[in-house]
Amino acid sequence: MRTLVALMTLLAVGQGALAAGSGDREAARAVIRRQQDAFRQDDAATAYAQAAPAIRSIFGTPELFIGMVRQAYAAVYRNRRFEFGTDEELPDGSLAQGVRIQDQDGTDWEALYTLERDADGAWRITGCRLRKAPGTSA
């Protein structure tokens, strides 16, 4: 009987951890969505606010940040399709979130966002690696 109680306790704890992980996943995706919506509306301040402090310190202003995104990440800035793919919790507690993107010209891309918790506990974007999807011509 004690074994059964212990097993049920472990299962309950495991489900709680899974729920917390899924809550983190949704919170991180919400940050990416918020930034994506801001790009669509040319809202530099909101897009910039989703970036981690280290990223914000590199660019200094929302205008410089959104200018860089327009130039170097055109598929992220303006796209036809933006769909979440797989995600992974990294050993340091940060998250990696894959996104499938189709740019305005119909070219498919893969983006890998990394996110970490800010001092206030909110998720913030620490980077985005963008590459053409396998099988896409250069």
Side-chain angles (χ1 to χ4, degrees), residues 22-81:
S22 110
D24 286 341
R25 177 181 304 115
E26 285 310 311
R29 286 181 176 188
V31 170
I32 296 168
R33 275 190 216 100
R34 210 168 13 259
Q35 188 176 69
Q36 185 59 205
D37 290 342
F39 290 147
R40 286 189 184 108
Q41 298 171 20
D42 287 317
D43 181 352
T46 299
Y48 185 70
Q50 307 318 303
I55 300 298
R56 291 193 307 259
S57 72
I58 291 169
F59 294 98
T61 69
E63 292 74 24
L64 288 174
F65 174 72
I66 204 166
M68 177 280 300
V69 173
R70 279 186 197 116
Q71 292 293 330
Y73 293 86
V76 171
Y77 182 69
R78 289 287 190 268
N79 50 68
R80 291 182 186 176
R81 189 180 72 237

Side-chain angles (χ1 to χ4, degrees), residues 50-55 94-95 113-117 124-128:
Q50 307 318 303
I55 300 298
S94 62
L95 294 174
Y113 282 82
T114 52
L115 302 97
E116 67 183 16
R117 285 195 190 275
R124 297 286 181 247
I125 299 167
T126 58
C128 178

